[in-house]
Amino acid sequence: MRSIIRLTLLTMFLASLSGTVYSQSYGAVSGTVTNTQNEPEEGVHVFIVQSSFGTNSNLDGSYAINGVPPGDYLLAITKVGFLEQQIPVTISADEATTLDVSLVPSTFQLDDVTVYGQKRRTIHATRLNAPLEQTPLSVNIVPKELLAQQQAISLEDALRNVSGVSKYGSYGLSDNINIRGFDIGLAGGPENYRINGVMIRTPYSDYVEEVQVLKGPASILYGDVEPGGIINYVTKKPLGYEHASFEFKIGQYGLYRPSIDMGGKLGSKLDYRLNTVYETSESSRDEVFNEQFMVAPSISWKISDQTSIVFDGLLMRNEATIDWGMPVGISLQRAKQLDPANFYGYPDGTSEGKNNMVSSTLTHSFSNSWSIRNVIAYSNQERLLHDVYPIYNSVNDSVEYSFGDYRELSRTNTFSNFLDLNGNFTTGSMRHRFMASIDISRIARPVAGNFVFPLPGRTSLTNPSWDAAALSSTPVLNDDELPFTLRTGFNVQDLISLLDGKLNVLIGGRFSKFTTGTKFRGAAQEPTGYEDTEESKFTPRLGFTYEVTEGTSFYGSYAESFSSVAPSPGRGLTDPKPLIGDQIEFGIKQSLLNDRLGITVSYFDLNRKNVLQFDIIDSNGSISDPDNFRANQSGEHSSSGLELDVNGKLMDNWQVFTAFSYFKTEVINEVVQNGTSEPVDYAGFELPNNPNSKFSLWTQYTLKSGIPGLSTGLGVFHQGDMFGDRLNTSENTIEAFTRIDAMLGYQYKNIMLRFNVQNLSDVDTFQRSIFGTYVPQMQRRVIGSIAVKL
């Protein structure tokens, strides 16, 4: 079936490249756009006023608008930093009119634009309409240009460019992410993930325009979240003119990935955009595959000059192999002796996901100074897991399945709504950028599981083969007992500018309340004496930036966070304490080369308390049996270190993105019981899955002469030594490695060709999963793509 789908999609894509039918009753306009230095200017929006005809200029400054009915028009030319021009043009039938344009510099710059360096704005992640140079927060942005250059098709690909962030394995459709040493939960959960600032989480795909990482406690903005930080996706929006692009990626290990990005006008005030992708891929590991289909429509309605609303939708279907890597209990040294392609799980053990999301964003401006933004979103996620647990038997050096065969069905319904009020005003010599917000979210997640324990069967460690029958059956959700979490909050923050804007002080606070419990309905009876669990907390944020010289600013901040912990009476957790965190951070932000290049150096000291762990009652029992665990909130951890981020353009045709981090984590207090053995005290050890050092460099250079349109890219990604177990043993330390990526691209008019080699030197390395197993990473992979803009 997959082969038929691949062949059909490839045929459709190739058909789209075969050319367009020329109609004798239409004309065209084309030309070249140059800047004040008489150099070609890329990315200039050229369109015919009051029509759906438009395009963007190419790398060589050329543009072409075809299929235009004959007549007299106004041709508009716009780009941030330049004055908008409207030039009369006459289109004749069967003729191509030539019109070259010279741009005129502007004395102002729009707020909501994509720029480089410290001038970038991240209102979605920070809710502050202020450039980074005036924001006392650590925010990293992975822009669309970088995602395209690296042919990023996963969240891991994107986060490889961010300092202080690491992935530690996957579980089916979920990536497990650490930010500044602390995990932020499975990527399938919504708490530390946002889409356009609202608490909705779906897997990464082509609906994402850019990825933003807000580091450190973010509770003032988003309520109860993990202290490490949040990840926010900014989605693709309508562009306001007719456009269409078709891209086809093909690569090693069975990668086929056609995608479409198209949009235009539905009326004088209605615009649309549609993104869709189909992906199927295998892996350098046997039996491992993933498949994804995604459709993401977006419609914007400009109700008036002051009011607009955007409707977004998302439909996604995923299926991925659950890959534990090496068996549970095997040492890293023994794992290195085995073929990294070996797969020890159940070949049909997959994670199947269905993701549906709708949202609306209403924006209204009362004046040039005051505006409101209201976002409403709802998502429904269903997931079916089928898994077995391969266990290493050290006595006979084989693999058993004694921990059982497990199936889990879950459905997560998330409703989120927030209303922001943003204003700019002055009091005396002080300028205020003020924000007040109220928000509410509700997550309901019924879960059901079936497991068979133990599962008979054994296989070879060197030549694994599955010969046992999967015994567990698909569970049925109990909709009469609905676990839920309700979050409400109110927050205020004010960015105050003093001394002619040299000093910026951020003062903010948030009151949050959350309720966890179970809604009983239908045949379910509420237990006698049952009560929901309620918690509330106030979290502050203080910060400042001070411009010591033009383009150079010091900054500092203090913030707190908390995260709710759901009760689990069956595991002895009847009255849980919230996970609390705090952070002190300070550093330097600098803009160079006329704001084309931004540099941030920061130091942070991050702490968290009441970390949830589980004591194991029977060390020989199943890890799928919830009765085999007892909750333990003794954990207290710290993380501190340095980060360096450089991004922007050294020249107009030379981009660079660099990230470096060095930090150490430490367990301050944590004691865990494992069966009848002596309790283990982890105090003084580092947390696993955290490389002390991480470095990434990506640079792309595009030729302007010789072979104009030819571009080359080079990536260097280094990860230092990383402990692979809680006791920091040398035997299970994942050694440092350096991975090199390369890219070659060529753009000719509306066609873009890219050729990427990932892991060029074919480095063998591992990640550690959340269950303590070692997962071999993807070996060298070649990906090619062709994209056509119409």
Side-chain angles (χ1 to χ4, degrees):
M1 180 65 183
R2 289 196 190 115
S3 297
I4 295 175
I5 293 175
R6 293 172 183 171
L7 181 59
T8 302
L9 290 168
L10 180 59
T11 302
M12 293 172 61
F13 180 78
L14 292 176
S16 72
L17 303 181
S18 61
T20 58
V21 178
Y22 182 74
S23 173
Q24 297 298 320
S25 60
Y26 294 93
V29 59
S30 62
T32 301
V33 184
T34 55
N35 56 28
T36 52
Q37 285 78 41
N38 202 32
E39 298 172 336
E41 189 71 23
E42 180 188 10
V44 180
H45 185 196
V46 183
F47 63 98
I48 296 177
V49 176
Q50 295 183 342
S51 81
S52 59
F53 297 99
T55 187
N56 286 334
S57 61
N58 299 311
L59 181 68
D60 60 358
S62 65
Y63 74 92
I65 303 175
N66 300 309
V68 183
D72 295 326
Y73 299 96
L74 284 177
L75 188 71
I77 299 93
T78 65
K79 186 176 183 179
V80 174
F82 299 93
L83 293 175
E84 178 178 344
Q85 302 180 51
Q86 292 190 3
I87 304 172
V89 61
T90 298
I91 305 295
S92 301
D94 306 334
E95 294 183 8
T97 301
T98 300
L99 181 61
D100 296 330
V101 180
S102 296
L103 297 177
V104 179
S106 172
T107 57
F108 66 92
Q109 192 172 51
L110 298 176
D111 285 343
D112 190 17
V113 298
T114 301
V115 293
Y116 289 96
Q118 304 291 2
K119 295 296 183 182
R120 294 177 298 172
R121 297 168 183 263
T122 57
I123 188 169
H124 285 301
T126 66
R127 298 191 184 179
L128 285 171
N129 191 11
L132 293 181
E133 63 186 355
Q134 297 178 3
T135 305
L137 309 172
S138 284
V139 184
N140 287 99
I141 302 172
V142 186
K144 60 182 180 181
E145 297 87 355
L146 183 56
L147 297 174
Q149 292 166 16
Q150 295 182 351
Q151 305 216 62
I153 58 177
S154 69
L155 179 60
E156 179 184 9
D157 291 339
L159 296 180
R160 190 173 286 117
N161 303 281
V162 181
S163 63
V165 177
S166 60
K167 174 187 171 183
Y168 61 103
S170 298
Y171 189 58
L173 298 175
S174 298
D175 294 325
N176 311 304
I177 306 298
N178 281 346
I179 301 180
R180 288 185 167 176
F182 294 163
D183 62 279
I184 63 169
L186 288 173
E191 285 81 0
N192 276 63
Y193 296 84
R194 296 294 185 274
I195 294 180
N196 297 327
V198 70
M199 189 173 67
I200 295 289
R201 173 64 176 118
T202 58
Y204 177 93
S205 191
D206 281 24
Y207 67 93
V208 176
E209 182 98 315
E210 70 177 30
V211 178
Q212 302 175 346
V213 181
L214 175 59
K215 298 176 182 176
S219 286
I220 181 177
L221 301 175
Y222 299 110
D224 59 317
V225 293
E226 296 283 344
I230 68 163
I231 295 173
N232 181 62
Y233 295 157
V234 179
T235 62
K236 296 178 179 178
K237 302 296 183 186
L239 300 177
Y241 60 90
E242 295 287 341
H243 65 95
S245 62
F246 301 86
E247 184 180 45
F248 189 79
K249 288 184 172 73
I250 186 169
Q252 282 180 287
Y253 307 114
L255 174 65
Y256 295 89
R257 199 174 194 273
S259 61
I260 298 173
D261 181 357
M262 60 186 299
K265 302 188 76 64
L266 298 174
S268 60
K269 295 186 178 182
L270 284 176
D271 301 315
Y272 81 95
R273 190 169 184 180
L274 177 68
N275 279 271
T276 183
V277 65
Y278 171 78
E279 177 186 337
T280 178
S281 177
E282 297 168 357
S283 170
S284 56
R285 291 179 45 73
D286 297 339
E287 309 290 347
V288 176
F289 79 95
N290 76 83
E291 187 174 22
Q292 176 192 116
F293 173 73
M294 184 277 299
V295 177
S298 181
I299 296 177
S300 66
W301 178 21
K302 187 176 181 180
I303 302 173
S304 68
D305 290 340
Q306 293 78 34
T307 308
S308 64
I309 187 169
V310 178
F311 299 96
D312 292 306
L314 179 68
L315 183 147
M316 185 182 293
R317 299 292 182 263
N318 306 71
E319 184 178 6
T321 304
I322 296 176
D323 182 16
W324 286 66
M326 298 299 170
V328 177
I330 198 170
S331 71
L332 178 60
Q333 293 303 313
R334 182 69 180 99
K336 289 178 179 179
Q337 299 169 4
L338 302 172
D339 187 344
N342 285 351
F343 178 71
Y344 298 96
Y346 178 40
D348 292 331
T350 61
S351 176
E352 300 178 29
K354 299 178 181 179
N355 300 273
N356 306 298
M357 186 270 289
V358 291
S359 69
S360 67
T361 303
L362 174 68
T363 304
H364 177 76
S365 298
F366 297 102
S367 64
N368 292 331
S369 300
W370 290 91
S371 65
I372 59 170
R373 183 169 63 115
N374 185 67
V375 180
I376 302 175
Y378 172 80
S379 73
N380 171 272
Q381 296 175 304
E382 292 187 8
R383 173 182 277 182
L384 176 62
L385 302 175
H386 185 197
D387 198 10
V388 298
Y389 301 93
I391 309 300
Y392 177 58
N393 186 324
S394 59
V395 176
N396 52 33
D397 202 34
S398 65
V399 181
E400 297 178 348
Y401 301 93
S402 57
F403 276 16
D405 172 6
Y406 180 62
R407 291 184 196 245
E408 178 185 284
L409 178 64
S410 65
R411 183 178 63 244
T412 304
N413 294 327
T414 304
F415 170 81
S416 296
N417 180 213
F418 73 78
L419 175 65
D420 282 352
L421 171 66
N422 282 274
N424 287 274
F425 61 93
T426 58
T427 56
S429 61
M430 296 186 297
R431 178 192 176 190
H432 300 262
R433 276 163 285 190
F434 175 83
M435 188 278 290
S437 168
I438 57 175
D439 58 76
I440 182 171
S441 66
R442 187 180 190 275
I443 299 176
R445 188 175 185 266
V447 181
N450 288 330
F451 72 95
V452 176
F453 165 75
L455 184 68
R458 177 181 296 177
T459 190
S460 165
L461 191 64
T462 56
N463 187 27
S465 63
W466 177 267
D467 58 4
L471 302 178
S472 64
S473 58
T474 301
V476 178
L477 291 176
N478 179 10
D479 286 323
D480 290 341
E481 295 185 11
L482 200 63
F484 73 91
T485 301
L486 177 66
R487 297 171 168 87
T488 57
F490 173 75
N491 74 80
V492 176
Q493 59 181 358
D494 190 8
L495 184 63
I496 305 171
S497 296
L498 303 162
L499 306 178
D500 294 326
K502 291 184 177 296
L503 175 63
N504 296 276
V505 179
L506 177 64
I507 302 174
R510 175 188 174 94
F511 176 79
S512 300
K513 179 179 180 181
F514 64 90
T515 304
T516 57
T518 301
K519 182 177 179 60
F520 299 92
R521 58 188 184 182
Q525 297 293 320
E526 183 176 305
T528 303
Y530 169 83
E531 291 183 356
D532 295 336
T533 300
E534 294 185 354
E535 297 250 11
S536 60
K537 186 173 177 60
F538 175 80
T539 50
R541 180 188 290 275
L542 301 171
F544 75 93
T545 64
Y546 181 73
E547 186 179 33
V548 291
T549 62
E550 185 176 357
T552 303
S553 300
F554 286 114
Y555 80 95
S557 67
Y558 172 79
E560 296 180 0
S561 71
F562 78 103
S563 178
S564 60
V565 178
S568 182
R571 298 183 179 184
L573 193 66
T574 56
D575 187 21
K577 296 176 287 187
L579 175 70
I580 58 175
D582 63 76
Q583 176 184 269
I584 295 176
E585 177 180 350
F586 55 86
I588 301 174
K589 298 186 178 188
Q590 188 168 43
S591 291
L592 300 173
L593 305 179
N594 295 321
D595 295 325
R596 292 201 312 266
L597 190 71
I599 302 175
T600 301
V601 181
S602 59
Y603 171 82
F604 66 89
D605 187 353
L606 178 62
N607 304 278
R608 65 179 182 181
K609 297 180 180 179
N610 305 330
V611 180
L612 180 63
Q613 298 290 345
F614 291 97
D615 296 327
I616 299 176
I617 299 173
D618 181 2
S619 58
N620 295 315
S622 173
I623 61 175
S624 297
D625 184 359
D627 294 331
N628 195 33
F629 297 88
R630 284 295 177 268
N632 174 349
Q633 284 193 278
S634 66
E636 181 179 349
H637 305 154
S638 69
S639 177
S640 59
L642 295 168
E643 293 176 341
L644 167 67
D645 293 283
V646 181
N647 71 87
K649 291 187 174 184
L650 298 176
M651 300 169 58
D652 288 341
N653 58 333
W654 187 4
Q655 296 175 325
V656 61
F657 299 88
T658 301
F660 170 77
S661 57
Y662 180 85
F663 64 87
K664 281 195 173 184
T665 61
E666 183 180 1
V667 177
I668 306 301
N669 180 56
E670 188 174 322
V671 179
V672 177
Q673 180 76 46
N674 187 349
T676 58
S677 59
E678 289 294 321
V680 179
D681 186 354
Y682 292 107
F685 290 105
E686 293 187 40
L687 296 173
N689 310 318
N690 286 293
N692 292 141
S693 60
K694 178 186 175 184
F695 172 79
S696 67
L697 166 67
W698 177 264
T699 181
Q700 176 180 283
Y701 183 82
T702 303
L703 298 182
K704 286 187 174 183
S705 60
I707 309 178
L710 182 69
S711 57
T712 59
L714 179 67
V716 179
F717 304 95
H718 173 81
Q719 177 178 295
D721 290 344
M722 181 173 71
F723 291 121
D725 60 25
R726 296 297 309 274
L727 294 175
N728 300 171
T729 62
S730 58
E731 181 185 24
N732 291 322
T733 296
I734 299 174
E735 297 175 349
F737 68 90
T738 300
R739 163 181 155 169
I740 298 176
D741 290 6
M743 185 275 292
L744 182 67
Y746 179 67
Q747 181 173 337
Y748 177 74
K749 294 186 177 180
N750 62 333
I751 298 177
M752 181 69 201
L753 301 173
R754 278 197 178 94
F755 180 80
N756 290 64
V757 183
Q758 300 172 347
N759 193 7
L760 181 65
S761 52
D762 204 18
V763 174
D764 288 326
T765 187
F766 292 81
Q767 285 180 344
R768 182 181 184 271
S769 76
I770 57 175
F771 299 107
T773 60
Y774 298 101
V775 185
Q777 294 305 285
M778 181 72 79
Q779 296 177 328
R780 182 191 297 119
R781 189 180 204 180
V782 178
I783 298 177
S785 69
I786 179 172
V788 179
K789 293 183 179 181
L790 302 179

